Amino acid sequence: MAKAIDIKKEVVAEITDKLQRSAATVVVDYRGLKVDEVTELRKQCREKGLEYKVYKNTLTRMAAENAGMNELVQELVGPNAIVFSYDDPVAAAKIASEFAKTHKNLELKAGIVEGVLYKEDKLTEFASIPSREELIAKLLGSFKAPLSNFAYLVKAIIDKKEAEGQA
C-alpha cells in the first residue's frame, strides 16, 4: 500500500512540475476518439514540441492545487487529456483547436495560458493568433518591402544619371 502511495506522490510531483514549467496548459475531453486518432494527435503534439498526457483527475487536481492553479481543479471532470506547451503559449490551443476541427469528438474544455484560466471560446481565439515565427516573418517582410523599393528607386536614379551623362 505504501508503495502505491509513493508512486502517486511521484506522479503528482511530475504533473505539478509540468504545470509550473508550461507556458500554456490545455485540457481536452478526448471521449469518443479512436486509438489511431489519439496516436495522430500525440504525434502532431510531439512534432510541435508539445506534450500530450492523460492522468487521473484526482492526481491532476492535487497537482493543480500544488501549482497554485486552483481554478483549473473544477474543470477536471470526466475523461481528460492535457496538452502542455513549454515555449509557445499559443501552440497548445492551436494544435488542439486544429485537431478538433477535423475530429468532432475532441473538445477543448479549458486552459491556463501564462497563469490565466480560459474557457473553450477564448482558447479558440488564441488558436487563431499566428505563431511567434509567423509574426516575425510578417514583421521582417514588412521591413523588406520599403527597403527593396528604396533600393530600386536609387538604382533607377543612378541608371538615369548614367544614361543622361553618356547621351
Side-chain angles (χ1 to χ4, degrees):
M1 183 72 168
K3 186 170 180 135
I5 290 174
D6 292 337
I7 292 171
K8 289 178 182 180
K9 285 181 182 178
E10 286 178 28
V11 173
V12 169
E14 173 189 325
I15 301 167
T16 302
D17 176 58
K18 289 178 184 198
L19 287 170
Q20 290 172 333
R21 285 187 303 124
S22 65
T25 303
V26 175
V27 178
V28 297
D29 183 342
Y30 63 91
R31 188 180 0 216
L33 287 180
K34 296 180 178 125
V35 173
D36 60 328
E37 293 172 326
V38 172
T39 303
E40 180 185 342
L41 178 56
R42 284 181 193 273
K43 181 181 176 226
Q44 288 180 17
C45 286
R46 252 191 325 272
E47 288 171 354
K48 298 288 185 181
L50 308 176
E51 193 172 0
Y52 175 95
K53 294 292 250 178
V54 176
Y55 294 108
K56 289 186 178 256
N57 283 338
T58 52
L59 301 179
T60 306
R61 283 188 205 107
M62 285 187 245
E65 288 173 356
N66 290 347
M69 300 176 176
N70 296 329
E71 60 275 4
L72 188 61
V73 172
Q74 64 193 17
E75 303 299 329
L76 298 170
V77 179
N80 296 310
I82 303 173
V83 181
F84 296 99
S85 176
Y86 300 107
D87 300 320
D88 185 356
V90 176
K94 185 177 287 269
I95 198 92
S97 180
E98 293 289 321
F99 197 83
K101 286 178 186 174
T102 57
H103 299 83
K104 298 300 178 195
N105 289 330
L106 185 74
E107 176 187 329
L108 277 74
K109 292 176 82 174
I112 302 236
V113 179
E114 295 184 337
V116 179
L117 178 75
Y118 295 99
K119 300 285 184 164
E120 177 188 3
D121 54 337
K122 286 291 183 186
L123 290 175
T124 306
E125 283 182 40
F126 276 122
S128 66
I129 297 173
S131 70
R132 183 175 188 269
E133 291 77 21
E134 290 174 76
L135 291 173
I136 290 171
K138 287 180 181 180
L139 179 65
L140 292 176
S142 66
F143 287 155
K144 181 183 172 195
L147 292 175
S148 296
N149 291 342
F150 180 72
Y152 290 131
L153 176 65
V154 170
K155 176 133 175 52
I157 292 171
I158 292 171
D159 290 346
K160 183 179 178 188
K161 295 261 185 194
E162 287 178 354
E164 287 175 356
Q166 292 177 356

